[in-house]
């Protein structure tokens, strides 16, 4: 049934104005007290946020309720408004928290952070991420609706964005997919104030936004962002739309700030005490009072909490035992049956990974994802599954940037464990989203194939060199580079035990299975003794460290070195970060007093944490057969033996 717009009387509009101005001055006071922050966008959006409050379904007492509306501020610089709204809506954000805006260890950091502030749905900051995250949440809700039904999944996804978000290319990628899949519960509110940090937006941006979104299959609406009737009409039409909708809201940055209204300086600079006092006085507020919320305003905003609590209560009555059991099982990893591989078998880790993905999907109903148009090469198709939204195979097209952010939104939705895939060299396009996922400790699984110069004939443009070092340097991210199919299984088993994002870096070329079976306990430590020295197992002279395809090279080199009398141990390191986290005693057990050499077909500078020497890449790759390139760049038994002898003798 279509939502009917509220009939706003003149008295209603007076009350709404008081509510909006209360938000404005809360935001201005927060920024002023911190002497840091962004008052402009929050003050410009206060009227729209006030009207939106009339239509929301949120339950602050149960902020993870599945059928809640999602509210995302893509422009994280509107954080003062985010925190003000969460406070007046009844979330666990006190007035004292507002007063601690941007201070160390407060609940109100400079940009919104997921899991840090109750009610914040996702970490935003880099422009464009939030709107793509909102698309991800709408993706998740569409599939959830197919699983659970339209009665149980009936919420909306609201996203505030600005000119900066729409200038970033990620927004175009994500919104294109939203239009393709007709994500009708997605409502984007575009704060069109015409101002950026450098001044007028038209200096660098004059697109026909209406035309852009019509071309992408969206419902496009327009409103005066300071006229309550206009906002109300547009918002209800957007909620009722049968396609994703965007409201182009014409606003004034710094609305209410008197002489500073519309000035680009309000974007990121406190207004000043005198301006705030004069503005308060002009709008009927006590000029010297700070952080004031009158009782009538507080009660009106708390209607969000009351309406949401009732909606949640009614929703719970719809849950059947079978439906609750399905929800509870969505992320249960306890019954996965993995494929088996025999030692000596030859199989690329991208191929074994495809089989592992399918094994996980068979048991884990919340496991879904896809590739940036590379599923046949990444081996990411889930067999027997339909395409999204009727199934779990997602086709992101050549939109790596948006793919990463969409998966963050899917993960934070609460029902699903998403994966996404591309060639490792193109992980550069996902880096901003992976960084945000790592900040949030949000579980997204990244499948990156074609992991090294082994790509061969495609040449240097397709051969990742610095990428392993880059991701290994990122906190809260586990990077797995398995040496074979059995170690690949163990890597997945370990990753599924961690509540962080994980990266799987996989070979295109076939690799011999060198592990007898998946050794999950050993892989959980990041590195382990794969092959002990036959000459001196207690005190080898040399320890070879390697990951991925170079582990077999290490094993072959060990054999050659021991034939020349150099006692050598081989340590496989599928996860550098987990090894780095082990205690000194465990590392001593691996390395002893031996010399240590690392082998990896990448830049590899991080290996010097453990190693005395690193056989790695000192340049970009080249075009040629993979085996020829390995020989050209020193990944051969002869070179490893020569370097090892120089190190040990």
């Amino acid at each position: 049934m279509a939502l009917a717009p509220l009939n706003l009387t003149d008295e209603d509009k007076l009350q709404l104005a008081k509510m909006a101005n209360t938000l404005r001055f809360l935001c201005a006071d927060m920024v002023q007290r911190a002497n840091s922050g962004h008052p402009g966008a929050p003050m410009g959006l206060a009227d729209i946020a006030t009207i939106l409050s009339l239509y929301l379904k949120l339950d602050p007492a149960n902020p993870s309720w599945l059928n809640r509306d999602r509210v995302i501020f893509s422009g994280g610089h509107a954080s003062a408004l985010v925190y003000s709204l969460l406070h007046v809506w009844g979330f666990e954000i006190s007035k004292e928290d507002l007063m601690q805006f941007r201070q160390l260890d407060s609940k109100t950091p400079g940009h919104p952070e997921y899991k840090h502030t109750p009610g914040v749905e996702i970490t935003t900051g880099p422009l464009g991420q939030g709107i793509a995250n909102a698309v991800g949440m709408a993706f998740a809700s569409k599939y959830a609706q197919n699983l659970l039904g339209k009665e149980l999944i009936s919420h909306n996804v609201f996203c505030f964005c600005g000119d900066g978000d729409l200038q970033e290319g990620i927004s175009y990628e994500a919104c294109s997919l939203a239009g393709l899949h007709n994500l009708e519960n997605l409502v984007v509110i575009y704060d069109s104030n015409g101002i950026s940090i450098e001044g007028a937006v038209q200096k660098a941006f004059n697109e026909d936004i209406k035309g852009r979104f019509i071309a992408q299959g969206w419902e496009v609406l327009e409103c005066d962002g300071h006229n309550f009737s206009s906002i109300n009409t547009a918002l209800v039409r957007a909620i009722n739309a049968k396609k994703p909708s965007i409201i182009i809201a014409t606003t004034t940055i710094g609305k209410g700030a008197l002489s500073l209204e519309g000035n680009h300086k309000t974007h990121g600079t406190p207004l000043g005490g005198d301006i705030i006092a004069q503005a308060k006085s002009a709008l009927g507020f006590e000029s010297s009072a700070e952080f004031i919320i009158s009782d009538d305003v507080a009660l009106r905003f708390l209607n969000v909490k009351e309406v949401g609590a009732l909606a949640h209560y009614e929703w719970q009555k719809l849950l059947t035992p079978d439906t609750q059991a399905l929800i509870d099982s969505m992320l249960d990893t306890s019954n996965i049956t993995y494929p088996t591989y025999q030692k000596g078998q030859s199989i690329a880790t991208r191929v074994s990974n495809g089989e592992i993905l399918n094994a996980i999907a068979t048991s884990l109903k919340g496991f879904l994802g896809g590739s940036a148009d590379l599923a046949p090469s990444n081996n990411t198709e889930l067999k027997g599954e339909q395409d999204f939204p009727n199934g779990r195979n997602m086709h992101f097209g050549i939109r790596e940037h948006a793919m990463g952010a969409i998966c963050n939104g899917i993960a934070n939705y609460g029902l699903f464990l998403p994966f996404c895939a591309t060639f490792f060299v193109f992980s550069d396009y996902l880096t901003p989203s992976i960084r945000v996922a790592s900040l949030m400790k949000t579980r997204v699984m990244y499948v990156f194939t074609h992991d090294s110069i082994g790509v061969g004939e495609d040449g240097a443009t397709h051969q990742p060199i610095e990428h392993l070092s880059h991701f290994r340097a990122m906190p809260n991210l586990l990077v797995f580079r398995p040496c074979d199919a059995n170690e690949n299984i163990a890597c997945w088993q370990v990753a599924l035990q961690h509540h962080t994002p994980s990266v799987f870096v996989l070979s295109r070329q076939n690799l011999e299975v060198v592990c007898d079976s998946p050794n999950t306990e050993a892989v959980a430590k990041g590195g382990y003794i794969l092959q002990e020295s036959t000459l001196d197992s207690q005190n080898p002279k040399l320890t070879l460290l390697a990951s991925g395809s170079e582990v077999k090279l290490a094993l072959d080199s060990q054999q050659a070195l021991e034939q020349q009398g150099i006692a050598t141990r081989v340590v496989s390191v599928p996860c550098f970060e987990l090894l780095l986290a082990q205690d000194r005693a465990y590392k001593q057990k691996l390395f002893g007093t031996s010399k240590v050499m690392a082998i990896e077909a990448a830049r590899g500078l991080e290996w010097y944490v453990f190693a005395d020497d690193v056989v790695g890449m000192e340049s970009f790759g080249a075009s040629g057969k993979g085996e020829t390139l390995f020989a050209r760049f020193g990944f051969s038994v002869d070179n490893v033996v020569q370097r090892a002898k120089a190190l040990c003798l």
Side-chain angles (χ1 to χ4, degrees):
M1 185 169 61
L3 179 70
L6 296 171
N7 182 25
L8 301 178
T9 66
D10 289 342
E11 179 63 25
D12 290 331
K13 293 173 185 177
L14 288 174
Q15 290 295 332
L16 290 167
K18 188 175 182 181
M19 294 165 71
N21 288 330
T22 297
L23 291 175
R24 284 193 173 91
F25 294 134
L26 281 176
C27 296
D29 287 341
M30 290 167 66
V31 173
Q32 191 63 35
R33 175 166 289 211
N35 196 29
S36 172
H38 306 80
M43 296 180 77
L45 284 169
D47 297 314
I48 300 172
T50 300
I51 292 291
L52 179 62
S53 300
L54 305 178
Y55 295 98
L56 286 176
K57 290 188 303 180
L58 299 171
D59 185 2
N62 297 277
S64 61
W65 169 38
L66 183 60
N67 198 40
R68 70 192 181 277
D69 288 332
R70 272 64 169 181
V71 182
I72 298 166
F73 282 76
S74 191
H77 53 267
S79 60
L81 180 58
V82 176
Y83 304 139
S84 296
L85 287 168
L86 292 175
H87 172 67
V88 298
W89 288 342
F91 286 86
E92 290 184 12
I93 305 294
S94 67
K95 189 175 289 186
E96 289 69 29
D97 291 323
L98 300 185
M99 293 177 179
Q100 291 298 307
F101 180 53
R102 289 190 160 226
Q103 304 309 301
L104 184 63
D105 296 328
S106 75
K107 285 185 180 179
T108 51
H111 287 75
E113 295 181 22
Y114 177 64
K115 296 179 183 174
H116 183 85
T117 307
V120 169
E121 298 284 1
I122 204 145
T123 297
T124 55
L127 290 175
Q129 284 284 323
I131 191 169
N133 298 151
V135 171
M137 289 190 176
F139 259 77
S141 62
K142 187 147 191 170
Y143 184 59
Q145 194 173 74
N146 284 339
L147 283 178
L148 304 175
K150 292 187 176 182
E151 273 194 307
L152 285 175
I153 305 297
S154 58
H155 66 84
N156 292 302
V157 179
F158 297 100
C159 177
F160 288 89
C161 77
D163 291 296
D165 295 291
L166 297 187
Q167 288 176 57
E168 294 284 1
I170 188 173
S171 67
Y172 187 92
E173 292 182 19
C175 292
S176 173
L177 280 166
L180 174 72
H181 290 297
N182 199 35
L183 304 180
E184 61 186 56
N185 70 335
L186 177 60
V187 178
V188 171
I189 300 166
Y190 167 34
D191 178 23
S192 181
N193 60 36
I195 295 294
S196 65
I197 293 175
E198 294 182 350
V201 166
Q202 287 193 341
K203 291 179 179 179
F205 184 64
N206 66 348
E207 280 187 23
D208 175 5
I209 296 299
K210 181 176 181 179
R212 179 211 285 196
F213 278 86
I214 289 173
Q216 292 186 113
W218 286 55
E219 181 82 8
V220 180
L221 305 164
E222 297 177 271
C223 76
D224 177 342
H226 304 301
N227 181 297
F228 294 119
S229 295
S230 179
I231 299 166
N232 187 49
T233 299
L235 185 59
V236 171
R237 286 181 60 193
I239 292 170
N240 288 334
K242 299 303 181 184
K243 58 177 71 174
S245 56
I246 182 169
I247 300 171
I248 302 174
T250 304
T251 62
T252 300
I253 194 170
K255 179 69 174 176
L258 301 179
S259 61
L260 290 178
E261 272 195 7
N263 193 313
H264 68 93
K265 293 179 181 179
T266 67
H267 169 78
T269 305
L271 301 179
D274 290 343
I275 289 287
I276 294 174
Q278 293 168 22
K280 288 178 178 177
S281 180
L283 291 172
F285 286 68
E286 186 179 342
S287 62
S288 60
E290 295 181 312
F291 298 93
I292 297 301
I293 307 172
S294 64
D295 290 344
D296 58 329
V297 166
L299 286 170
R300 287 176 183 273
F301 272 121
L302 279 177
N303 187 57
V304 171
K305 181 177 182 179
E306 295 168 359
V307 169
L310 177 61
H312 187 186
Y313 173 76
E314 295 292 341
W315 181 83
Q316 285 180 307
K317 292 195 297 185
L318 299 173
L319 283 175
T320 65
D322 287 346
T323 302
Q324 186 63 63
L326 175 59
I327 292 172
D328 293 342
S329 70
M330 292 294 286
L331 297 176
D332 181 3
T333 61
S334 60
N335 296 307
I336 300 170
T337 301
Y338 291 93
T340 57
Y341 301 98
Q342 301 301 315
K343 191 171 183 179
Q345 184 178 349
S346 183
I347 182 172
T349 48
R350 65 166 172 163
V351 175
S352 62
N353 197 74
E355 296 170 352
I356 294 166
L357 291 179
N358 276 273
I360 294 171
T362 298
S363 300
L364 193 62
K365 300 306 179 186
F367 191 61
L368 77 178
S371 173
D373 198 50
L374 289 170
S377 294
N378 298 147
N379 289 86
T380 51
E381 181 186 358
L382 301 180
K383 308 298 183 184
E385 275 287 332
Q386 297 183 63
D387 291 339
F388 175 85
N390 299 311
R392 291 183 283 168
N393 281 313
M394 293 183 167
H395 300 279
F396 294 102
I398 303 129
R399 300 183 184 91
E400 296 91 349
H401 201 359
M403 175 175 71
I406 286 170
C407 284
N408 286 350
I410 293 171
N412 280 15
Y413 185 79
L415 271 182
F416 305 112
L417 175 60
F419 67 89
C420 59
T422 187
F423 291 166
F424 192 30
V425 76
F426 301 145
S427 64
D428 288 333
Y429 289 115
L430 285 87
T431 291
S433 300
I434 297 174
R435 186 176 190 275
V436 174
S438 300
L439 272 166
M440 297 187 291
K441 295 185 179 179
T442 287
R443 284 211 301 174
V444 179
M445 303 299 183
Y446 304 96
V447 174
F448 295 138
T449 68
H450 297 58
D451 67 337
S452 72
I453 57 173
V455 172
E457 292 91 342
D458 277 336
T461 61
H462 281 53
Q463 293 166 15
I465 302 299
E466 74 281 10
H467 300 69
L468 277 167
S469 299
H470 175 198
F471 286 120
R472 285 170 177 162
M474 196 174 287
N476 303 335
L477 180 68
L478 297 180
V479 181
F480 295 96
R481 189 174 183 238
C483 70
D484 69 4
N486 280 329
E487 197 173 77
N488 202 0
I489 292 172
C491 288
W492 272 99
Q493 291 172 328
V494 171
L496 290 172
Q497 294 169 5
H498 283 261
H499 292 282
T500 57
S502 295
V503 168
F504 295 86
V505 182
L506 309 166
S507 73
R508 182 186 74 164
Q509 72 273 26
N510 287 341
L511 302 180
E512 181 182 332
V513 177
V514 296
C515 300
D516 294 318
S517 61
N519 190 339
T520 308
E521 184 178 351
V523 169
K525 294 182 179 297
Y528 62 97
I529 298 171
L530 177 63
Q531 183 68 50
E532 191 55 271
S533 169
T534 59
L535 299 179
D536 188 347
S537 62
Q538 297 301 310
N539 295 291
K541 197 164 190 178
L542 176 69
T543 299
L544 294 177
L545 307 179
S547 75
S549 55
E550 290 76 73
V551 170
K552 181 59 167 64
L553 172 59
L555 291 169
D556 292 342
S557 299
Q558 176 196 40
Q559 186 176 5
L561 285 162
E562 296 223 323
Q563 288 173 355
Q564 298 187 38
I566 300 175
T568 304
R569 169 185 292 162
V570 173
V571 171
S572 177
V573 187
C575 186
F576 182 90
E577 304 80 40
L578 289 176
L579 178 57
L580 197 62
Q582 301 307 308
D583 59 28
R584 182 176 297 180
Y586 183 74
K587 294 171 188 173
Q588 179 67 21
K589 178 183 175 182
L590 294 186
F591 308 137
T593 59
S594 71
K595 293 292 185 179
V596 179
M597 174 182 285
I599 311 168
E600 193 169 67
R603 195 71 181 98
L605 297 178
E606 65 274 17
W607 287 106
Y608 284 107
V609 171
F610 305 119
D612 300 293
D613 189 20
V614 177
V615 179
M617 291 294 294
E618 297 180 3
S619 67
F620 293 105
S623 182
K625 292 187 180 299
E627 58 269 25
T628 304
L629 296 184
F630 278 116
R632 163 72 69 84
F633 291 106
F635 299 97
S636 64
V637 171
D638 286 346
N639 186 55
V640 171
V641 168
Q642 182 181 349
R643 293 271 288 265
K645 289 169 69 175
L647 184 64
C648 295
L649 300 179

